[in-house]
Amino acid sequence: MSIERIESTDRMSRIVKHNGTVYLCGQTAGEAQWDIAEQTQRCLDKVDDLLAKAGSSRNQILSVTVYIRDMKDFAAMNTVWDAWVADVEKPARACVEARMARPEILVELSVTAAY
């Protein structure tokens, strides 16, 4: 059984590959000047980049958990999300309101995909 860890630090790996599955670390884009739409887009851009490094793509995403700081931003986040998944197979998805590690973080994505 092989496990490949990509872009590892003392705390975590940005990508873990095992048995045909890719696990990405939580993706955030917390900049105080960015609204939920901009943060969501930046997170999704990061997901695209990491999936490509792992030999995968957004069409191979199995599941996404969206953590959102305030559900008042749910519709705006979904507008960006819906455009991002418009032309691909839709993954399973959950969205929960959560306290974030820093106050400027409005959204975080946890992604699992096939490769």
Side-chain angles (χ1 to χ4, degrees):
M1 166 177 41
S2 71
I3 299 173
E4 182 180 358
R5 299 173 197 283
I6 302 169
E7 296 186 17
S8 297
T9 68
D10 290 340
R11 179 169 291 160
M12 65 178 195
S13 297
R14 294 189 72 203
I15 303 166
V16 176
K17 294 173 68 172
H18 170 65
N19 200 27
T21 305
V22 174
Y23 305 88
L24 302 184
C25 67
Q27 297 304 302
T28 65
E31 293 290 336
Q33 74 274 16
W34 294 341
D35 65 8
I36 188 71
E38 182 67 21
Q39 285 195 27
T40 301
Q41 187 60 59
R42 301 275 179 136
C43 289
L44 295 171
D45 292 345
K46 287 180 165 183
V47 167
D48 279 332
D49 290 344
L50 291 172
L51 288 173
K53 287 180 182 179
S56 186
S57 69
R58 82 174 73 154
N59 200 49
Q60 294 173 283
I61 294 175
L62 303 171
S63 177
V64 177
T65 302
V66 179
Y67 301 95
I68 190 167
R69 189 178 80 185
D70 191 327
M71 280 297 176
K72 73 175 176 51
D73 291 329
F74 185 70
M77 179 276 299
N78 272 330
T79 298
V80 177
W81 170 269
D82 291 345
W84 190 71
V85 297
D87 297 327
V88 298
E89 297 294 328
K90 309 314 182 258
R93 192 187 96 165
C95 183
V96 297
E97 188 174 65
R99 187 176 310 173
M100 300 299 188
R102 296 186 321 271
E104 64 272 14
I105 298 172
L106 303 179
V107 63
E108 182 170 350
L109 304 177
S110 178
V111 176
T112 303
Y115 69 91

